[in-house]
Amino acid sequence: MKTLDIGKATGSLAAYAKSVRSQPVIVTRRGKPLAALMPIANTDVETATLSTDPRFLALIERARTRYQREGGIRSEELRRRLGLKIVPTKRRRQR
């Protein structure tokens, strides 16, 4: 893993971004980690942004907790509540 002291960083951000293709670059200040430059694959800007947003992460955690406590609702009920057309589902035959 590469490290880069921010006080000695003289290259362009583009040059440092290119170097993360092979391995992450840890940016330090006085020897202590400050940030990390890491490649991200198979994602988009919105996903990368939301995955680090504390408000969004708290929202997801509240939803998971509520689901564990109260359970969920069937898709037919959700469609009814939203006033959408209810699509009949195929029932499995019991053996």
Side-chain angles (χ1 to χ4, degrees), residues 24-73:
V25 175
I26 304 299
V27 180
T28 61
R29 178 184 291 147
R30 297 186 191 110
K32 295 185 178 182
L34 179 65
L37 297 175
M38 299 176 58
I40 52 175
N42 303 320
T43 192
D44 54 28
V45 173
E46 290 82 10
T47 301
T49 302
L50 287 174
S51 68
T52 59
D53 185 328
R55 295 171 300 166
F56 181 74
L57 296 174
L59 175 85
I60 295 298
E61 187 56 37
R62 286 193 308 271
R64 287 178 178 156
T65 301
R66 182 175 177 184
Y67 177 77
Q68 288 174 345
R69 187 177 61 240
E70 300 174 17
I73 61 173

Side-chain angles (χ1 to χ4, degrees), residues 91-95:
R91 295 183 182 239
R92 293 184 181 172
R93 293 194 308 190
Q94 294 184 357
R95 297 179 184 175

Side-chain angles (χ1 to χ4, degrees), residues 1-4 15-28 35-40:
M1 179 176 347
K2 293 182 182 180
T3 60
L4 170 67
Y16 294 122
K18 286 179 185 176
S19 71
V20 303
R21 290 180 184 160
S22 59
Q23 61 182 325
V25 175
I26 304 299
V27 180
T28 61
L37 297 175
M38 299 176 58
I40 52 175

